[in-house]
Structure formats: structure tokens, C-alpha cells
Amino acid sequence: MSGKDRQKQLAREHYERQNQRRIEREARAKRNAIIGTSVTAVVIIGGVIAATTLLGGNDSPATATPATSAPSASPSETSTAAKPTAFDPAGGTCGYVADADGSPAKNVGLPPAKVDTKPKTMTLKTSQGDIVIAVSADKTPCTVNSFAFLAQKKFFNGSKCHRLGSDQFPVLQCGDPLAKADGKSQTDGQGGPGYRFVNENLKGAKYTRGVVAMANSGPDTNGSQFFIVYGNAPLSPDYTPFGTVTKGMEIIDKVNKGGVITPGPDGTGAPKETVEIKDVTMSSKS
């Protein structure tokens, strides 16, 4: 191969690498921040609407549009990325893995593999008051263990719930530590803890008033984002339901009545009534 041919080959390889990175960035940029990054079709008043996605979203509330497909990993990511593993009853452990997709993160390390499945109560101390959640450590051990770890690390402190749903999509989404929740940010819904873990407790899952569930960007991509249902959300059983609000639903109702700053095409957006999480605690159920 001549020197000129070699230069052409190197230029072509460089272009291909740049093009692949661009494709991956655009794929990530299509993920929408509320109700996963799979597209869920729901039937509302005889009509069919596309449910926007929960977690991993790059669209701001002001410009969000329904996703048309889930983001795809590059071939190298698909073949080599470590996969999270489900709870192992024999060893009492869960397998958490580092997030390899390059999403913005507030890295705090990985949760301990060993989990505690005793009943627990999680309390969100917010700027609007306390929200108390009975969490199902027996049914969702990996999820609850992750929240206990993040609470201990003060991961959620100062974070804002960045997306409020609509009458058709009655949820409040929180857990992005980097969200601005100002109705302008282009990155709300992207942030996470820098690791992922498996879906749990999906069989027969229903998203009725008071249910608290994980947001995700596809199967087994849970991080730190979650949503609280204040109505009956018509979702497919793809989002780990890990708890139920026992105190503080009036806070969510108040936020809902306040509406959103700049509604997107789906009616969702950053809430006018700011919900800032001051602290999260996990305690044994009394």
C-alpha cells in the first residue's frame, strides 16, 4: 500500500469513527425523559396515544416529542458491555454494572452486592413536605438496595423533580441529580448514578395512584430516576414498581394542580411548583 493510499485509509477510518460517534449521540438525544425509552402505546378515551419515555431523555419539556424508537447501542457496546444480574437468593446478592452509554452522571460508585430484604420505609424530605414510601425490599431487593445506597451517599440531596405528567399521563418524575427543572434545560432526564441494574417485580404490574416505580431506558437499565403515580397511568408492565406512598400524596396533587412551566406536545413538562429533594432516608419498617 502506497503512502497516499495509507493516508486515504486512515482518513476513511477517522471519518467512520466520527460518524459512529455522531450516530450514537443522536440516538441518545432521541431518548425522552418520562416513562422509559421504549414507546408505549396506550388507549385513552377511544384514542391511541404514544406514551413518552421514562428516563434517559434528552428532550427538554418545552421541545419533547414522542420517541419513535429506542436508542441502539453500537456493536461493540452490545457485544462487550457487562450486563446487570438479578437477585441471587442463595447468596443474597445483586449484580450492578457501570453504565457504558456515556450518559451524564453523578458518580458515587456501585452499591454493595449484598442486600437486605427486610421491609423498609423510604422518606423523601422535599421543599413541599415529606413523602413517605413503603418499599418492597422482598419483591425488589436490587432496587431498594440501590436506593438505600444512594440515600446514604446523599445522592438525591438538592435534586429537583424534573417532569410532571398530564391527565393522560399522571406521574411526577424525579431522581435526575443534574436536572434543572426550569422548563428550558435540554438535558433534564439524562442524569443518573453511573450504574445500572435489572428490572424487578414486573409480572402483573399496575401503575395506580400512589405507586412508585423506576424509570428506565429499556430492559435492565434502571439507574436513579423514578416516578410517583397520582392517577392511573396506562403503562405496560415495563417499569419496576418498588413502593407505595403512605403519606404525602396531597403534595403530589398540589404540584399537579400547579401545572407545568412549558408543556411539551404530550402535555408534560417541568412543574411550576418546584419539588426539590432535600434528603432521602431509608429505615426499617416499624
Side-chain angles (χ1 to χ4, degrees):
M1 181 182 294
S2 67
K4 184 177 292 185
D5 289 339
R6 178 58 177 164
Q7 287 180 343
K8 289 181 178 178
Q9 179 182 346
L10 290 173
R12 183 171 60 254
E13 291 174 352
H14 177 68
Y15 169 77
E16 290 173 350
R17 286 195 298 271
Q18 285 187 321
N19 192 49
Q20 181 61 38
R21 293 191 190 101
R22 178 184 61 78
I23 292 171
E24 291 171 3
R25 284 197 302 270
E26 290 177 353
R28 286 197 295 269
K30 289 179 182 178
R31 291 182 302 174
N32 188 289
I34 196 155
I35 318 276
T37 31
S38 60
V39 177
T40 304
V42 296
V43 179
I44 302 288
I45 315 177
V48 179
I49 64 172
T52 49
T53 55
L54 277 176
L55 179 66
N58 290 3
D59 292 339
S60 73
T63 61
T65 55
T68 56
S69 63
S72 58
S74 68
S76 61
E77 287 175 339
T78 301
S79 59
T80 63
K83 306 293 184 183
T85 55
F87 176 65
D88 175 14
T93 59
C94 291
Y96 302 91
V97 298
D99 188 348
D101 76 353
S103 296
K106 177 181 177 181
N107 287 294
V108 289
L110 296 180
K114 191 73 174 180
V115 306
D116 179 4
T117 58
K118 295 183 180 69
K120 293 178 178 62
T121 296
M122 182 168 71
T123 300
L124 311 180
K125 295 185 179 298
T126 81
S127 56
Q128 299 283 347
D130 289 359
I131 300 172
V132 181
I133 303 165
V135 295
S136 304
D138 56 336
K139 295 180 180 179
T140 58
C142 299
T143 305
V144 174
N145 185 59
S146 174
F147 271 96
F149 170 74
L150 294 175
Q152 184 182 33
K153 293 291 185 178
K154 305 298 182 184
F155 176 89
F156 296 106
N157 292 20
S159 66
K160 297 177 180 179
C161 297
H162 62 276
R163 197 157 193 180
L164 176 67
S166 60
D167 290 342
Q168 292 79 25
F169 228 43
V171 304
L172 176 67
Q173 187 172 341
C174 314
D176 177 355
L178 309 177
K180 294 180 174 60
D182 58 3
K184 301 176 183 179
S185 175
Q186 297 292 315
T187 58
D188 282 6
Q190 290 186 46
Y195 64 81
R196 294 187 169 189
F197 58 95
V198 297
N199 290 346
E200 299 177 296
N201 194 34
L202 296 184
K203 186 175 181 180
K206 300 292 184 182
Y207 306 96
T208 53
R209 179 176 170 82
V211 167
V212 186
M214 292 301 297
N216 65 52
S217 54
D220 301 333
T221 58
N222 301 289
S224 59
Q225 292 190 44
F226 61 97
F227 60 97
I228 301 172
V229 183
Y230 56 83
N232 290 311
L235 300 170
S236 59
D238 296 318
Y239 315 101
T240 298
F242 66 93
T244 304
V245 174
T246 59
K247 177 185 176 183
M249 280 304 298
E250 71 279 0
I251 294 171
I252 311 300
D253 292 336
K254 174 188 173 185
V255 173
N256 176 42
K257 288 180 181 178
V260 302
I261 298 173
T262 309
D266 57 3
T268 70
K272 290 181 180 178
E273 290 277 355
T274 299
V275 182
E276 180 178 344
I277 298 177
K278 303 291 188 180
D279 189 35
V280 177
T281 57
M282 188 78 73
S283 59
S284 297
K285 190 174 181 180
S286 57

